[in-house]
Amino acid sequence: MTTEISISTDEEIALVGHLMRRVGVGANRDRLESLSEKSYEDLVEDLLSPNRYSDPDVDLLDRYFPQSASPDSGVTWACRWMYNLAQSERPLMEKMALFWHHVFATAWYKAENGPAIVQHIDMFRKVGLGNMRDILLALSRDPNMIYWLDNSESRDGAVNENYGRELLELFSMGIGTYTETDVKMAARAFTGWTFKQPIPLYPYGGYAAEFIYHPEQHDNSEKEFLGEKGNFNGEDIIDIIVKQEACARFISRHLYNFFVADEPQVPAWSITPPQDQQAIDELTGVFLDSDGDLTAVMRALLNADWFKDARFKKIKSPAEFVAGALVLSGLPETPDPMLASLNAATTAMGQQLLNPPTVEGWHTGKEWLDSGTLTERVNFVVNQVAEASLPGVSSILSRIESHGDNLSPEELVNLCLDLTGHVEISRDTHAALVDLASQGGQLQFDTEVNVTESQKQIIRLLQLIVSAPEYQFA
Amino acid sequence: MTTKKKDPVLVVVQLSGGLDFMNTLIPYTDGRIYDWRPTVSVAAESTISLDDRLAWHPSAQALSELYNAGNVAAIQGVGYENASRSHFRAMDIMHTCEPEKVATEGWLGKVTRELDPNSENPLTAVSIGRGLPRALVAPGVTATSVGNLDKFGLMTKIEQVEERAANLDIFKRMYSPAVGNGLVNDYLAQTGRDILRGADMLADVPSRYSSDVEYANNPIAQALRDVARIHTAGMGTRVFYTQHVGYDYHSLENEVHPRMLTELTEAISDFMTDIRNQDASEEVTILVFTEFGRRIMDNGSGTDHGTGGGAYIIGDHVSGGLYAEYPSLDPKDWLYGEDLTHTIDYRSIYTSILEQWMGMDAQPIVGGTYEQIRPYNTTMLV
């Protein structure tokens, strides 16, 4: 017996809706209809080829919020990132950057250097869908990461193990797949990888740094790493890592956790098996066959049946929640001052972009939710859909109006669920919504007064739909 | 006659940014500080003398009065080994009692779990402000964050009272305990109902409160007023959390620090007066803490992140005075050649409060055994 019900709807729209929630933060109904003119497979190819599209036009953003273009402030830049997540035609590029930000977590608070962390996230945009070797190489040369994990302190004779350890434990293979000696060897191989002294902060603000290799600080002795012997440098360590099945499995599980369904928190992975071992095996196989090509792995993931079936299996992260609410309501024609409040909104929900609590990143899934953060989520989105002037809300209103006055309460609820993409809900939620729609009485669009009243009633229904437990899931 | 003693209550005031301890309790008779801190030091004659060595910053007037009345334990030189100079990491360490590795359980989250193991009262722990501090977070623990007590809860922007009430009814039905929907849904439904329970309990708190005390219109004063409103309404809250943000003065310390200290100390003084007037003070102890102290030498405008901060325990049953040693000012004792060396571990303070005031076993909460100070003359414990 199931307690779920599905609203009968266009299956193609529902599937593309699911795809867009996972490769981005969702798409509104108009966009879903235009996207579903292509086949699903073609759509996936478009998403995997961000170069077919351009970045969002940010001229207006720069004019209204010049401070958001300045990487000096991580706060305004985080708002800009959510704005891009909400409207980019290259959603997967933004989402991969967010994925790598979760996995390779670095925070502003240590260096307090905005430009360095903005450069770091931009690096994810450039290499995020590329080859794992290139990704780890770019990461190991990234000044923000180098400072975050103290590799700038690591030299021959005074080795700092921080980066070597986290590279294996958190960034590529996972605990239990290497030895303490491997950590030491990796750390020695990365000695001399540092950055040029950046231009001082005062008086003109922060500057990003640039990678530099100091051969005289490098430990040139022979090293044994994961069973291989040689006078390894950092590049060799990365080459050896990306050949390991453990790396393929670890990254595959991360991708599954981020794009398909919530897994337990990462520290539990060495003891708790994946919920779908076969899916992880498939992704691992593609990873190994393609020499770690993330585009190939993501192609396999997005086209898999277990991906298509995994609807509403993930709790939205605060950034996904906030940017997703912007997609639903639509963005104002000119950037609205609320843009500047997006960072405060996600922070109150437990996630400040560019400022994860630790190198472990955020705890995700159900751990996003407590009574404080759920209150913040509900109130944010309830206020957002109340704005009838926003294009997303007004589009839903006019679509419902086009159905005329003859909708039964149940038809009205189902139409609203359909238009918001929430087509799978519990019987309790559905019954409660139908009761609310019945209390409101028949919609009428004949006079101006009645149109206003009917719109209020629809908005109220939308507010309850986005308050439902189901709306917490992507 | 014997009366049942009231349950002890802990009010935590977090000063975020790193309060300049040396510029709060000033070693004013040591002439060297005027060489090391030519910009930020206060002339000896304007300070409020405490003894022949130390004086309060003039803007800490209200706290000095509470101190003179014997209600303040001023703890000097608070820190821990290998102190972090990062705000976030340092706060994390003080929130989780875990300096070596990253922990997810906050010390007050564990306290709340001890006090209310089945989460029967969503208001056992209340944080004033949006979002919960890590100190209050622990798996299975319900703590309530109150962003706005007068408009607390869900859908607060909906003005129509009846419409909002009807919406909340629908909300309650949607978050009803569903059968067979899985752990995440059960947890989500429970969380949604916790919000409603907390909101129901807090709904009449504002109307039940009246007071002659006029708190200042600044965030810390208003936060402590909210604590007073909830506490005097008898909601069973045992742990309150508030934050006062803005102590990170790398520059313009002479402008910012006096304002911050005035706001803080007057707010605490108003809070004490308020709860005393309402016969609700004897069960309350206040802990004021910050993540670190600041550098011994100033930077020409303010002070940079340092070590050796201060903490204050305030309440009717406090045995007033100075605790631990003031960190040595002798340059040979300076940590890293520029910082105060701490003289007491922050976990000693937590342990003392937990064991002596809250009547709890501190060891599992702070993760070890720490020497205690004796900041109370009597307690609520039988």
Side-chain angles (χ1 to χ4, degrees), chain A residues 269-291:
Chain A
W269 288 4
S270 57
I271 29 177
T272 315
Q275 59 189 293
D276 186 348
Q277 185 66 56
Q278 202 190 325
I280 305 295
D281 289 346
E282 276 176 49
L283 295 177
T284 303
V286 177
F287 187 103
L288 292 170
D289 290 346
S290 66
D291 291 326

Side-chain angles (χ1 to χ4, degrees), chain B residues 228 231-232 270-281 284:
Chain B
H231 172 60
T232 56
D270 284 347
F271 174 73
M272 285 305 298
T273 308
D274 191 11
I275 59 175
R276 278 173 180 159
N277 289 349
Q278 311 211 39
D279 191 23
S281 62
V284 173

Side-chain angles (χ1 to χ4, degrees), chain A residues 118-128 135 138-139 142:
Chain A
V118 165
Q119 175 181 276
H120 167 87
I121 302 286
D122 266 339
M123 177 266 289
F124 293 153
R125 289 204 175 84
K126 292 189 191 96
V127 303
I135 295 170
L139 185 73
D142 180 82

